[in-house]
Amino acid sequence: MIDLRSDTLTRPTEAMRAAMARADVGDDVYGEDPTVTELQERVAAMFGHEAALFTPTGSMANVLAVASVVRPGEEVLCDSSAHIARAELGAHGAISGITMRTWTGERGQLDLAAIESMYAPDMGPFFVRTAAVSVENTHNFAGGAVLPLDDLRDLRAWADTTSTKVHLDGARLWNAHVATGTPLADYGRIADVLAVCLSKGLGAPIGSLMVGSADAIDEARVRRKRMGGGMRQVGVLAAAGAYALDHHVDRLADDHAHARLLGEALGLDPESVDTNIVVVDRPDATAFVAAAADEGVRIAAVGPRAVRLVTHLDVSRADAERAALVLSRLVDR
């Protein structure tokens, strides 16, 4: 079975498991785990920020990050299909007490004109204030689309004129970095706070990081503990992330090539596939997913008429070619 449902399905390699086994550990609730401390400092430096905080999940990293720039009762603006709006089960409202309004951009793209028209300044005790704008790069439900750096810079320039904060959901920012060659520090400059994931294309079994100012991270550490996310000898997990950064970033280009192959088999222009995710319309997504499974290829329905395929560390070129053959036959039925 070739499993293309998600890049979260990756399993640690033997070398990653060995790195985990020999990790130097301590109690991170006391701030005494050297491996997680080193990873946090390393990732913060990659993006040009002061500090970072390891979390067990990307959703927790996003909740902590957004809460650091949006107070209860304030709002964050984001794309209508953003992960923080659609796939975090309302956590930002339920846990942090914040509200959202959304724009709808083609392929998840940033729409600065829409943001400007939606922006609500502080008008006293009458209206909800816009505190932040959240962008997602790459954009999951838009088929792994990359947000152009120039658009992000334009958002940063506008945000500076209105004292609005920018949150970057960078769960797959590593993919954008590899696909475009954009330095990670350039992405870091556009965001006041961001979240990055180690357990998707990079192949770690668990882990994300919130990245931001030292003050924001200090506050987030308290919130993380309050949410049940204080971890003890977490260096065992951080070691997997460190190994992934050392060995699994550049190889993301292979995943992107495999995704283009699958996109072409499904009738898409391969140049429209930016990274490792392919989303394609089908008249009956559930039936198409079932037919693919019968042929040994697992894919996911992400809507009544939309299916998603995600390439990753555990999908070889031979796997991608075989899956492409299966899917092309199904499309032609």
Side-chain angles (χ1 to χ4, degrees), residues 246-268:
D246 288 338
H247 299 282
H248 292 168
V249 175
D250 291 343
R251 63 147 309 279
L252 293 173
D254 296 336
D255 296 343
H256 301 169
H258 298 162
R260 288 191 292 272
L261 179 67
L262 295 169
E264 187 172 19
L266 288 163
L268 300 179

Side-chain angles (χ1 to χ4, degrees), residues 75 101 116 118-124 127-131 162 164:
E75 73 176 4
R101 282 190 295 150
E116 290 174 333
M118 295 167 65
Y119 168 71
D122 188 351
M123 298 178 66
F127 301 101
V128 174
R129 171 182 174 264
T130 302
T162 59
T164 303

Side-chain angles (χ1 to χ4, degrees), residues 39-116:
L39 177 66
Q40 290 168 166
E41 292 173 350
R42 177 182 180 181
V43 172
M46 284 178 161
F47 292 98
H49 281 257
E50 292 179 339
L53 183 68
F54 186 86
T55 65
T57 70
S59 292
M60 181 180 282
N62 273 334
V63 168
L64 294 174
V66 173
S68 75
V69 291
V70 185
R71 295 177 299 183
E74 295 180 333
E75 73 176 4
V76 58
L77 306 180
C78 63
D79 177 73
S80 60
S81 59
H83 195 276
I84 68 167
R86 300 300 306 146
E88 295 178 7
L89 301 184
H92 298 269
I95 296 171
S96 304
I98 69 173
T99 65
M100 291 182 184
R101 282 190 295 150
T102 63
W103 73 86
T104 299
E106 183 177 357
R107 296 191 71 227
Q109 295 299 300
L110 195 159
D111 188 339
L112 186 54
I115 293 168
E116 290 174 333

Side-chain angles (χ1 to χ4, degrees), residues 34-278:
T35 303
V36 77
T37 297
E38 182 179 352
L39 177 66
Q40 290 168 166
E41 292 173 350
R42 177 182 180 181
V43 172
M46 284 178 161
F47 292 98
H49 281 257
E50 292 179 339
L53 183 68
F54 186 86
T55 65
T57 70
S59 292
M60 181 180 282
N62 273 334
V63 168
L64 294 174
V66 173
S68 75
V69 291
V70 185
R71 295 177 299 183
E74 295 180 333
E75 73 176 4
V76 58
L77 306 180
C78 63
D79 177 73
S80 60
S81 59
H83 195 276
I84 68 167
R86 300 300 306 146
E88 295 178 7
L89 301 184
H92 298 269
I95 296 171
S96 304
I98 69 173
T99 65
M100 291 182 184
R101 282 190 295 150
T102 63
W103 73 86
T104 299
E106 183 177 357
R107 296 191 71 227
Q109 295 299 300
L110 195 159
D111 188 339
L112 186 54
I115 293 168
E116 290 174 333
S117 68
M118 295 167 65
Y119 168 71
D122 188 351
M123 298 178 66
F126 303 101
F127 301 101
V128 174
R129 171 182 174 264
T130 302
V133 176
S134 176
V135 289
E136 184 177 336
N137 194 21
T138 66
H139 197 298
N140 183 353
F141 296 124
V146 174
L147 274 57
L149 184 62
D150 285 346
D151 289 354
L152 294 170
R153 285 172 169 162
D154 288 345
L155 173 65
R156 175 75 267 168
W158 171 83
D160 287 341
T161 68
T162 59
S163 299
T164 303
K165 303 298 185 182
V166 175
H167 163 255
L168 174 57
D169 178 356
R172 295 180 176 87
L173 195 58
W174 317 106
N175 295 86
H177 161 64
V178 170
T180 65
T182 301
L184 294 172
D186 285 359
Y187 286 129
R189 289 186 189 98
I190 67 96
D192 295 281
V193 63
L194 63 148
V196 293
C197 186
L198 303 169
S199 64
K200 294 183 172 67
L202 296 191
I206 188 173
S208 289
L209 293 105
M210 170 190 163
V211 183
S213 69
D215 287 344
I217 296 303
D218 285 345
E219 292 179 6
R221 183 177 289 275
V222 175
R223 291 193 185 99
R224 185 187 67 175
K225 184 68 160 60
R226 187 175 293 132
M227 292 167 64
M231 295 170 285
R232 301 297 179 173
Q233 286 71 32
V234 73
V236 172
L237 303 177
Y243 181 91
L245 292 176
D246 288 338
H247 299 282
H248 292 168
V249 175
D250 291 343
R251 63 147 309 279
L252 293 173
D254 296 336
D255 296 343
H256 301 169
H258 298 162
R260 288 191 292 272
L261 179 67
L262 295 169
E264 187 172 19
L266 288 163
L268 300 179
D269 177 355
E271 293 303 312
S272 70
V273 179
D274 290 347
T275 54
N276 70 319
I277 302 177
V278 179

